[in-house]
């Protein structure tokens, strides 16, 4: 008998690979002659890189970057021999990296994700699979875009800090210094939610409270995400605010979509 064991991870309990191994031990306890095929699965959130690196025999790369509050950390992503980089945004700006008492939605930024993308480009990646899940940010990807070369400006042309508090005076975005290599790389988003960027089902309203946002801050965050979306459209980028999944990872979905990324259900990408 041949049995395929393909679980997702058990959040904060065991990885998908550990779950598959446990299932395999259970099967063999009853069917000693069974051939067990262990396949780690994921849906774009925690464990996506681990699952794909196990299946594609890729290597892990470590990058010194910063967490959502700007503190220095080391994050990992996966890279295969044929130029596929697999990045989980949570590895840099994950909610699990910030203690509940330290979470500050108005100062949290996705800047650290840019370091992973840039390192992958430096390593020759031609395709990025980005897992959108588990972030502690609600900055619409402004921090990541700043790390890739974008400048968020006020009405006087002064550059703003790319976090919700700093972008309260946002007037426009200058994309002229955006890393040119981004136009030559395929970006595929692995996503497990269908939320748009704004409104009652958007990034701030649905996910903001679990990141520490008060009801008053949810309204401020939603308005800030709208300003970011407006600025990107005025800069010539597509209007993606209503695209299902644009609200994933605090609006990082929208930021990547503005760079020309495509979005698919995470489990489909991994499969």
């Amino acid at each position: 008998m041949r049995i395929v064991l393909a679980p997702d991870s058990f959040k904060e309990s065991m990885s998908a690979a550990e779950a598959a191994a446990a299932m395999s031990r259970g099967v063999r306890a009853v069917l000693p002659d069974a051939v067990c095929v262990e396949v780690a699965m994921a849906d774009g959130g925690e464990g996506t890189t681990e699952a794909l690196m196990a299946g594609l025999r890729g290597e892990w790369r470590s990058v010194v970057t910063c967490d959502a509050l700007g503190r220095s950390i080391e994050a990992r992503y996966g890279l295969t021999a044929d130029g596929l980089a697999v990045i989980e945004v949570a590895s840099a700006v994950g909610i699990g990296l910030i203690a509940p008492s330290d979470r500050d939605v108005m100062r949290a930024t996705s800047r650290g994700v840019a370091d992973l993308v840039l390192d992958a480009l430096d390593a020759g990646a031609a395709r990025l699979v980005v897992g959108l899940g588990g972030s502690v940010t609600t900055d619409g990807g402004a921090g990541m875009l700043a790390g890739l070369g974008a400048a968020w400006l006020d009405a006087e042309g002064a550059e703003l800090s790319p976090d919700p508090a700093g972008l309260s005076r946002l007037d426009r975005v200058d994309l002229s210094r955006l890393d040119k290599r981004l136009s030559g790389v395929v970006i595929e988003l692995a996503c497990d939610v269908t939320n748009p960027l704004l409104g009652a089902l958007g990034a701030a309203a649905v996910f903001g409270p679990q990141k520490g946002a008060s009801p008053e801050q949810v309204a401020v965050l939603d308005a800030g995400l709208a300003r970011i979306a407006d600025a990107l459209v005025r800069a010539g980028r597509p209007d993606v605010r209503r695209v299902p999944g644009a609200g994933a990872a605090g609006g990082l979905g929208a930021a990547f979509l503005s760079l020309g990324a495509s979005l698919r259900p995470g489990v489909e990408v991994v499969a």
Side-chain angles (χ1 to χ4, degrees):
M1 182 179 293
R2 187 169 186 263
I3 301 176
V4 176
L5 308 167
D8 197 347
S9 63
F10 286 61
K11 187 175 290 293
E12 298 185 23
S13 177
M14 68 179 78
S15 69
E18 290 170 335
M23 294 164 69
S24 180
R25 290 193 298 272
V27 168
R28 290 196 180 97
V30 179
L31 302 171
D33 297 328
V35 175
C36 293
V37 180
E38 299 174 22
V39 182
M41 283 295 293
D43 60 6
E46 181 184 9
T48 296
T49 305
E50 183 178 2
L52 285 174
M53 288 304 96
L56 300 174
R57 294 183 173 85
E59 65 174 16
W60 289 93
R61 290 178 62 90
S62 294
V63 179
V64 175
T65 181
C66 57
D67 68 11
L69 297 181
R71 304 175 301 192
S72 180
I73 60 169
E74 188 174 280
R76 299 196 306 167
Y77 72 93
L79 184 68
T80 67
D82 60 354
L84 168 65
V86 185
I87 294 170
E88 289 180 33
V89 300
S91 66
V93 297
I95 192 168
L97 300 177
I98 309 291
S101 59
D102 293 336
R103 292 172 192 165
D104 184 348
V105 291
M106 300 306 296
R107 296 294 179 185
T109 171
S110 57
R111 172 66 180 78
V113 177
D115 291 328
L116 301 179
V117 173
L118 292 173
D119 191 84
L121 295 176
D122 290 343
R127 179 185 172 206
L128 307 181
V129 169
V130 180
L132 296 177
S135 83
V136 74
T137 57
T138 314
D139 69 342
M144 180 197 69
L145 291 174
L148 296 175
W152 302 96
L153 308 172
D154 66 13
E156 284 71 48
E159 190 163 355
L160 302 170
S161 177
D163 56 51
L167 295 175
S168 62
R169 297 183 290 110
L170 177 63
D171 179 70
R172 63 190 186 275
V173 61
D174 179 0
L175 301 178
S176 63
R177 292 177 291 170
L178 206 61
D179 195 301
K180 305 302 182 186
R181 295 174 295 176
L182 292 166
S183 61
V185 67
V186 175
I187 305 175
E188 190 169 21
L189 307 178
C191 184
D192 60 354
V193 301
T194 58
N195 301 76
L197 182 64
L198 307 173
L201 298 177
V206 175
F207 304 112
Q210 71 188 39
K211 301 174 184 182
S214 67
E216 294 77 19
Q217 287 175 322
V218 165
V220 173
L221 290 169
D222 193 63
L225 292 172
R227 283 194 298 273
I228 292 168
D230 289 341
L232 288 169
V233 170
R234 289 197 300 272
R237 297 291 164 163
D239 187 347
V240 299
R241 70 190 82 195
R242 294 182 180 86
V243 176
L252 268 165
F256 275 111
L257 288 169
S258 76
L259 296 175
S262 61
L263 190 150
R264 294 169 61 197
V267 70
E268 180 181 306
V269 173
V270 175

